[in-house]
Amino acid sequence: MSKIHILDHPLLQHKVTILRNENTTVKDFRQIVSEVATLMCYEATRDLPVEEIEVQTPVAKAVAHQIAGKKMAIVPILRAGLGMVDGILTLVPGAKVGHIGLYRDPVTLEPVKYYCKMPSDIALRDVIVLDPMLATGGSASAAITFLKEYGVQHIKLMNILAAPEGVARVQADHPDVDIYIAALDDKLNDHGYIVPGLGDAGDRIFGTK
Ligand code: PRP
Ligand code: URA
């Protein structure tokens, strides 16, 4: 069974509260989604392997550590996942970025794929899938299935908010994928929106409503 990591650092809780507030402006919402992604990245990369190296300081030789050559990629689910990209690249500037375009059919709530572009060596990389919202879990599960078809072996999922239904769906479909979230909400409403949630993440990031 995959692990669910609820990242409840006080800074994250504070920023998520600002995201939930319906009065938060588009500009602030976009900025804070990015900041939340940076903070979550710090925790989600805690298990990266390190190796010892020797480095010459101005004073003496030191035995120090560096990341052990792990190749990373991040894959935002369009559109809303785009809002998390810069925040991750702030900490991991060398990560490659693949894109998967999925939208949720408003009636069936099933994900519909409309775009895909991956780095050519994606199968060799550890991948973090990004999407602020894990609602039914249909979009995340489809994106992960797609990456596995490309041969990706190590996948993590990062969402800001999740509903229990979405967590259960990803854990059932992809028991090898750990999930990192900043808050686990109560439920979905009849339209598949997370309750209490923060509304439509894509619309709030891009100002389309
Ligand atoms: C939202 C969100 C996820 C999806 C989550 O995207 O960003 O991708 O819904 O729902 P699910 O877990 O039930 O699949 P949306 O379809 O609204 O597209 P957008 O990002 O282009 O706004
Ligand atoms: N997508 C969103 O943007 N918000 C939700 O609450 C559910 C799906």
Side-chain angles (χ1 to χ4, degrees):
M1 172 68 83
S2 69
K3 279 203 209 105
I4 171 115
H5 304 259
I6 303 179
L7 308 177
D8 58 357
H9 189 288
L11 285 171
L12 276 169
Q13 291 186 48
H14 182 85
K15 289 176 192 294
V16 168
T17 300
I18 298 171
L19 294 179
R20 289 190 192 278
N21 188 333
E22 65 177 0
N23 295 318
T24 298
T25 64
V26 169
K27 174 173 167 289
D28 288 348
F29 191 91
R30 190 184 299 136
Q31 170 69 32
I32 289 165
V33 164
S34 184
E35 290 173 5
V36 165
T38 303
L39 293 168
M40 293 185 76
C41 178
Y42 182 76
E43 288 295 338
T45 51
R46 188 173 278 285
D47 61 352
L48 283 180
V50 290
E51 62 191 4
E52 265 186 19
I53 58 159
E54 196 176 76
V55 64
Q56 177 70 51
T57 81
V59 179
K61 279 195 166 57
V63 176
H65 296 89
Q66 66 179 12
I67 307 241
K70 268 286 182 189
K71 289 184 162 193
M72 265 182 65
I74 53 176
V75 175
I77 299 177
L78 309 184
R79 278 177 308 169
L82 285 175
M84 300 172 76
V85 170
D86 285 351
I88 305 281
L89 292 178
T90 300
L91 289 191
V92 193
K96 296 274 176 67
V97 185
H99 294 84
I100 295 183
L102 293 174
Y103 71 87
R104 214 169 57 148
D105 183 283
V107 178
T108 66
L109 301 183
E110 286 301 312
V112 181
K113 186 159 117 228
Y114 61 89
Y115 184 76
C116 178
K117 182 77 181 174
M118 291 294 145
S120 56
D121 62 352
I122 188 75
L124 304 175
R125 291 179 178 268
D126 287 1
V127 173
I128 305 179
V129 175
L130 308 175
D131 194 326
M133 309 303 275
L134 181 63
T136 66
S139 304
S141 183
I144 293 165
T145 299
F146 193 66
L147 287 167
K148 288 181 175 175
E149 286 167 3
Y150 263 84
V152 181
Q153 295 188 12
H154 300 286
I155 302 173
K156 291 174 179 172
L157 174 64
M158 185 188 294
N159 309 106
I160 298 177
L161 293 189
E165 294 90 330
V167 171
R169 168 82 188 264
V170 172
Q171 285 185 322
D173 293 354
H174 302 290
D176 55 316
V177 173
D178 281 2
I179 307 170
Y180 294 80
I181 61 175
L184 182 61
D185 277 12
D186 297 342
K187 59 180 180 180
L188 297 178
N189 68 15
D190 292 345
H191 303 287
Y193 274 79
I194 297 175
V195 181
L198 51 72
D200 186 306
D203 282 343
R204 296 197 65 190
I205 291 168
F206 296 108
T208 43
K209 205 153 207 176

